[in-house]
Amino acid sequence: MAYDYDPELAPWAARLAPVDYTDPVAARAAVRVIAGRQAPYRPLGAVEVSEAAAPGPDGAPPVPLRVYRPAARGARPGPGLLYLHWGGFVCGDLDALHPTCLRLADHTGAVVVAPAYRLAPEHPFPAGPEDAYAALCWTAGNAARLGVDRDRLGIGGESAGGGLAAAVALLARDRGGPPLRMQCLMWPELDDRLDTVSARAFTDTPKWDRASAQASWGHYLGPRHRPGADGVPPYAAPARAADLSGLPPAYVCACEYDPGRDEALAYAHRLIQAGVRTEIGYWPGTFHASVSVAGAAVSRRMLADQTDALVRGLGGTARDTPHADTEGGKRT
């Protein structure tokens, strides 16, 4: 199928094959290579990086965390952001998300907390969202020590991480958990049914295609649920939630040539219809997670738009336009 990619993205689209998620071991190796090619990031200001752990869900191990705190914040409480990594529920780790979290902390002024949630297929649903919810509770419980204003706490993520962020927002609403100021869903993985126009049409798109999504959902839902069948819980696939009212304001980002495009846009529209203040970032000519092509003008615009939405949504302090250069950040 022919795609009208942005001219700066087209050369990359031709050589970025989708990850084959049918074999988790091979997929993890491929994702480590992709993550290793990410452009490093040098913060404009100092960002202190530290390691922590949240108590895990009942019977589960602690959830490893990496905390990014802008040094310029000093002792003043400010916004906090729990941010969840990509990887189709099967791959990814804190190192893969490191440049992104540095950028987010640097450009939004938020303390960013990244959890290493358990991965499928070894740990299918509900391990991922339960680990992420435990990390949210830890962040809220340690807000004073972290310098986070509990009334300015948000959640976000990319791809599978975006889907988990939406699930945690549902869990927090339904359990009376920590209140969230906003949710930031970047090209999120939300719907196991894969019956939208984009999910059916995009069988050969870069980095992520229909086969990637099918394998991802199969691993994530595990033996208890079959993708597309009745009974898949909304905390696994947030697009299945019947009621989206009472959720935090949202920023939802969708890429044109992404199998998940239509589920992201449909979810955003349903949030709006449920009375949830929602912004949509829709980017023609892009593909799933194409911001990895950091030098493209459209990638810079996408990241700047995300930063602006987070700053306004969380009440942070914006810096200059995001850039990728040489990695920084002080590890403690």
Side-chain angles (χ1 to χ4, degrees):
M1 183 173 176
Y3 302 103
D4 185 18
Y5 293 119
D6 179 275
E8 291 183 283
L9 298 180
W12 294 88
R15 56 180 181 264
L16 288 173
V19 174
D20 182 1
Y21 282 91
T22 56
D23 180 349
V25 174
R28 288 166 186 163
V31 164
R32 282 193 294 271
V33 171
I34 293 170
R37 292 173 178 166
Q38 291 183 104
Y41 178 79
R42 181 179 63 196
L44 298 173
V47 177
E48 299 169 353
V49 184
S50 60
E51 311 291 332
D58 289 345
V63 182
L65 307 171
R66 191 170 290 171
V67 181
Y68 300 78
R69 191 176 190 279
R73 279 270 296 275
R76 295 172 299 157
L81 176 66
L82 186 74
Y83 206 74
L84 303 164
H85 70 74
W86 48 274
F89 306 115
V90 173
C91 307
D93 55 25
L94 297 183
D95 289 337
L97 199 63
H98 184 66
T100 296
C101 290
L102 280 174
R103 173 181 60 82
L104 290 171
D106 191 34
H107 285 281
T108 67
V111 173
V112 178
V113 178
Y117 56 86
R118 287 171 291 169
L119 299 174
E122 295 86 351
H123 304 285
F125 173 82
E130 291 292 352
D131 282 0
Y133 184 76
L136 174 65
C137 292
W138 179 91
T139 303
N142 288 274
R145 181 174 65 82
L146 295 170
V148 169
D149 180 348
R150 281 187 57 132
D151 293 330
R152 297 162 67 190
L153 183 59
I155 190 166
E158 301 172 8
S159 193
L164 290 174
V168 171
L170 289 167
L171 286 170
R173 179 197 67 179
D174 296 346
R175 294 178 178 177
L180 289 167
R181 180 82 166 255
M182 76 168 297
Q183 53 184 321
C184 178
L185 314 181
M186 305 297 286
W187 43 92
E189 194 174 353
L190 298 164
D191 196 341
D192 65 292
R193 293 166 292 193
L194 300 176
D195 60 359
T196 65
V197 171
S198 62
R200 292 187 177 278
F202 298 150
T203 59
D204 57 351
T205 39
K207 300 181 74 170
W208 185 258
D209 62 6
R210 180 174 178 83
S212 305
Q214 288 174 318
S216 167
W217 280 109
H219 292 312
Y220 177 54
L221 295 179
R224 294 178 57 187
H225 303 287
R226 183 169 59 84
D230 293 339
V232 172
Y235 303 128
R240 288 180 176 257
D243 179 14
L244 300 183
S245 63
L247 289 171
Y251 174 78
V252 182
C253 180
C255 302
E256 182 175 14
Y257 299 119
D258 181 351
R261 178 195 68 195
D262 294 343
E263 65 199 61
L265 294 175
Y267 196 73
H269 290 157
R270 289 188 57 218
L271 286 168
I272 294 168
Q273 291 160 4
V276 176
R277 178 167 292 181
T278 302
E279 294 184 47
I280 301 172
Y282 174 66
W283 299 93
T286 61
F287 52 83
H288 188 83
S290 58
V291 292
S292 61
V293 184
V298 67
S299 297
R300 295 195 297 271
R301 293 196 302 272
M302 289 171 74
L303 296 182
D305 201 52
Q306 181 197 26
T307 296
D308 179 64
L310 285 167
V311 168
R312 287 184 289 102
L314 298 176
T317 302
R319 290 187 182 271
D320 297 335
T321 302
H323 68 285
D325 193 69
T326 309
E327 184 173 338
K330 177 183 177 183
R331 181 70 61 84
T332 61

